[in-house]
Amino acid sequence: MPDPEQPTLTAPSDRSARRDRPDRPIPSPRHSTHAVDRAFLKLERRRPDVRWDAGGVAYLSGPPPALADLRAYVGYRLGELPLLTSRVEGGRRSRWQPDADFAVDRHVHEVVADGPGARDSALHTALNAPFAPGCYWGVWLVHGHDPDAYAVCYRFHHACQDGSAAAMTFRAMLGEGEPSARPVPGRNRPSGVPRRVGAAVGLATRFVVGSLAVRGHRPDAAFAPSGERRLWRGRAPVDTLRRIGAGRGGSAHDVHLAALSGALSVWSARAGVPLPRVTAVLPVDARRADEEQTWGNRCFALPLELPVRTVPGHPDGSRDGEEPLRRLDQVMATTRKLRGETWRQAMQDLVRFMPDGPTAWYLRRVLSPRVTNVMATSMPLADKGSLGETQVTGTALLPLLVPGHLFAVGLSFFGDWAEVSFVADRALPLGELLPELWEQAVGELAESSTPG
């Protein structure tokens, strides 16, 4: 039978309605949950007071759709994303199964801003709104602050998706169908199995040793959390980050982490929050080249100490122009190895074969504030996006905010921009300064890396 007619939005016409559905295989309606999925579900049972969700925000220019039309549009697009109409059933052998009681209305909501100056407060309402009972994800239409601008906030329980799968959801809902830019290991070669086993064991041992070294570390609380999350954004041209990184043999993500380190150094002094050590947890996509992106988690998490404290500059206290580049070199010294084929294959093997018990222990340890105190992730989203005739003008990742962490920071690559977003508790001192300080640190890296 032909596909049903796609609904139109209240925008003048839905250009995406005239696109054919992407020609890609739809997964089986029943998929086993992964060990990482089950680990996040355990975390939820252990700490039901914590929001174990992540997501993203798309900012659009143009008149917003009506809630009913958005629900119809999302319902149509869900045909490409069967995970989102499924639920977890079973115990130790739990599986994703179609949800016979699924209703779009329980997942798609709206928040109407109270006037032109209330966009941020409306967004924060969407950011903190609870999921409906039994739901693993939700979409919030945020409008009312401007007749020609609105936002769409998508949030999901981390047992449901990781960042790569969420990026695929973005492209299915709002993108133009670009393939993911995620790096994946090559196809398996049986002759390399002994080497791969050794690399996987070495990677696991490296983390265990690193986590045991801080077992007695009990970080002082920087602030008393309020329980309400906030979002702050910044941006820089993506070509700027790529040019800086390429000039030192690194990547745009390396530049982001170096700029984050510089921003934290300044923020620490201004906010009066001492940072004797800052270790970020970096989520890494560990899917095989042929693995479907839509179902659950296939990610690994690595701790990376950020060079917030570097060798002091000039004795007279003047600015040291080499300090930003020293930070970048220190970041690259660690990430260079992680980008190699051997370590990527090792991460994939660990995620694929590690049993539930070690996986849950690993996740608890790497997310513990005794080991890490910042969540830092990045994700290529799309070159462009639209909803009807309205265009996506900006994006913001909503990384997982872990209890005891200072904040979570996400870098999304959309169009010509690298967009940084900081998610933190409302009580974080001077948290609103972090995007501006990150932008300034990117500028310092660009200035320091310019010849002459």
Side-chain angles (χ1 to χ4, degrees):
M1 294 181 60
D3 288 335
E5 184 76 11
Q6 179 172 352
T8 57
L9 301 173
T10 52
S13 66
D14 190 351
R15 181 162 44 85
S16 63
R18 299 191 291 270
R19 293 199 309 259
D20 292 332
R21 283 190 178 187
D23 184 18
R24 59 171 175 260
I26 298 299
S28 162
R30 288 174 175 82
H31 271 238
S32 296
T33 56
H34 189 268
V36 181
D37 306 341
R38 295 189 289 272
F40 273 112
L41 289 170
K42 284 184 178 179
L43 285 173
E44 181 184 39
R45 289 192 292 268
R46 289 165 63 102
R47 292 290 305 274
D49 57 314
V50 174
R51 296 184 177 97
W52 296 103
D53 62 85
V57 179
Y59 299 83
L60 297 100
S61 63
L67 176 61
D69 291 326
L70 180 62
R71 283 173 169 168
Y73 176 87
V74 170
Y76 175 84
R77 285 295 174 194
L78 288 176
E80 301 170 20
L81 300 163
L83 169 73
L84 298 187
T85 57
S86 302
R87 64 185 178 189
V88 175
E89 292 186 350
R92 289 188 59 188
R93 298 295 181 182
S94 56
R95 302 176 69 86
W96 291 102
Q97 304 215 40
D99 185 355
D101 299 323
F102 178 84
V104 172
D105 292 7
R106 298 178 65 244
H107 293 78
V108 183
H109 319 278
E110 72 176 335
V111 179
V112 181
D114 188 19
R119 185 194 70 171
D120 288 347
S121 62
L123 270 172
H124 293 146
T125 297
L127 180 61
N128 290 287
F131 294 140
C135 293
Y136 289 99
W137 62 274
V139 170
W140 284 264
L141 171 65
V142 180
H143 65 100
H145 56 280
D146 187 322
D148 289 313
Y150 67 101
V152 175
C153 176
Y154 169 62
R155 289 170 39 222
F156 57 90
H157 192 292
H158 220 305
C160 176
Q161 290 184 317
D162 57 22
S164 290
M168 186 177 181
T169 301
F170 176 95
R171 286 188 289 274
M173 293 284 186
L174 301 174
E176 300 293 334
E178 301 94 335
S180 173
R182 63 189 178 92
V184 294
R187 296 188 180 276
N188 298 343
R189 298 178 180 178
S191 60
V193 168
R195 179 179 59 83
R196 286 169 49 192
V197 171
V201 171
L203 182 63
T205 302
R206 176 178 176 176
F207 171 75
V208 169
V209 171
S211 65
L212 293 177
V214 292
R215 181 176 292 276
H217 174 67
R218 291 185 177 273
D220 295 330
F223 58 94
S226 68
E228 294 184 25
R229 294 178 292 188
R230 291 291 183 267
L231 168 66
W232 301 291
R233 302 169 60 217
R235 59 170 27 182
V238 66
D239 285 345
T240 299
L241 272 68
R242 289 171 177 162
R243 176 179 54 79
I244 297 169
R248 310 291 285 192
S251 68
H253 187 247
D254 294 331
V255 177
H256 160 59
L257 292 176
L260 176 62
S261 303
L264 281 172
S265 179
V266 178
W267 173 82
S268 173
R270 292 189 184 180
V273 177
L275 297 176
R277 55 175 284 276
V278 178
T279 303
V281 54
L282 306 181
V284 180
D285 187 1
R287 284 172 174 79
R288 302 190 305 274
D290 60 346
E291 198 160 25
E292 173 60 46
Q293 290 192 67
T294 55
W295 291 88
N297 290 267
R298 298 296 187 277
C299 61
F300 195 74
L302 291 172
L304 172 69
E305 187 165 358
L306 297 179
V308 174
R309 303 297 176 198
T310 60
V311 177
H314 303 298
D316 61 0
S318 61
R319 180 177 175 272
D320 182 357
E322 293 299 314
E323 184 178 20
L325 294 181
R326 283 200 300 272
R327 286 196 171 98
L328 178 56
D329 290 341
Q330 289 182 45
V331 167
M332 288 169 47
T334 301
T335 61
R336 185 180 291 112
K337 188 171 185 179
L338 299 177
R339 286 196 300 269
E341 178 71 17
T342 298
W343 284 92
R344 282 202 170 273
Q345 185 69 67
M347 285 182 266
Q348 179 216 300
D349 289 337
L350 279 177
V351 169
R352 185 179 182 186
F353 297 114
M354 197 157 60
D356 280 14
T359 299
W361 178 88
Y362 183 98
L363 196 60
R364 289 197 307 271
R365 288 296 298 167
V366 78
L367 296 180
S368 168
R370 296 186 184 187
V371 178
T372 59
N373 49 5
V374 169
M375 170 71 75
T377 188
S378 66
M379 185 55 57
L381 288 180
D383 288 335
K384 54 186 176 180
S386 61
L387 182 59
E389 294 298 322
T390 62
Q391 301 298 310
V392 179
T393 60
T395 59
L397 298 186
L398 302 174
L400 178 67
L401 181 60
V402 178
H405 280 199
L406 290 169
F407 55 80
V409 57
L411 186 71
S412 57
F413 296 95
F414 179 79
D416 296 329
W417 293 98
E419 311 224 30
V420 69
S421 55
F422 290 85
V423 177
D425 190 274
R426 177 173 54 84
L428 180 72
L430 300 182
E432 68 277 7
L433 295 182
L434 287 166
E436 179 184 353
L437 295 177
W438 180 88
E439 292 175 348
Q440 292 175 2
V442 171
E444 291 174 357
L445 279 163
E447 182 181 345
S448 300
S449 61
T450 301

